[in-house]
Amino acid sequence: MNKASCLCGAIKLQIDAEPVKVSHCHCTMCQKQHGAAYATYARFRRDDVNYLQGEDKLSVYNSSEDVLRKFCRICGSNIEWGCSERFPQWVSIALAAFDTELLLTEIKELHSDSKVCWLSKA
């Protein structure tokens, strides 16, 4: 069982599974939404994700034709990403929202063609 929450604690989730897939997404929409070089999400079956509190505090942004991005309307924390119509059975939860340590075996890189040029200049 995994737990996740937003920055202010208004939203709390319980995920009753390990992730099916974890990825760093370098698309420009994820960069803009997260204010970072990439966003890291863990994918789960929607049936395994349960909101314990604060689901009414979620704001939804339809960032493209069928992608819904959900975030806390109080603190702005990114919570979930999902396809509204094509894949309604899946949801991806922002990895930084997790309060429990996930056992990750592999992290895939997505949309590397829009990877920022300054990421490897540290």
Side-chain angles (χ1 to χ4, degrees), residues 79-93:
I79 303 295
E80 73 171 67
W81 179 102
C83 290
S84 58
E85 294 179 14
R86 286 189 306 154
F87 303 105
Q89 72 275 27
W90 296 105
V91 63
S92 294
I93 305 296

Side-chain angles (χ1 to χ4, degrees), residues 2-52:
N2 294 296
K3 302 266 186 174
S5 62
C6 66
L7 177 63
C8 71
I11 298 171
K12 295 188 185 304
L13 302 92
Q14 177 176 306
I15 300 99
D16 297 323
E18 291 302 315
V20 174
K21 177 181 170 186
V22 178
S23 57
H24 295 312
C25 183
H26 297 274
C27 80
T28 55
M29 282 191 265
C30 281
Q31 290 168 357
K32 294 276 187 184
Q33 185 188 23
H34 287 261
Y38 55 88
T40 306
Y41 284 103
R43 184 185 298 169
F44 299 92
R45 291 188 96 27
R46 188 166 290 282
D47 292 344
D48 291 328
V49 177
N50 301 296
Y51 282 86
L52 302 175

Side-chain angles (χ1 to χ4, degrees), residues 11 33 54-62 68-74 76-77 79-80:
I11 298 171
Q33 185 188 23
E55 194 168 5
D56 61 323
K57 304 287 189 289
L58 285 172
S59 285
V60 179
Y61 177 63
N62 198 182
L68 297 176
R69 295 171 182 270
K70 296 183 181 182
F71 56 95
C72 177
R73 76 169 56 117
I74 298 169
S77 292
I79 303 295
E80 73 171 67

Side-chain angles (χ1 to χ4, degrees), residues 98-114:
F98 280 84
D99 300 318
T100 53
E101 188 175 328
L102 292 175
L103 303 173
L104 305 177
T105 56
E106 180 183 3
I107 300 178
K108 296 196 181 267
E109 301 278 334
L110 303 176
H111 302 287
S112 294
D113 55 320
S114 50

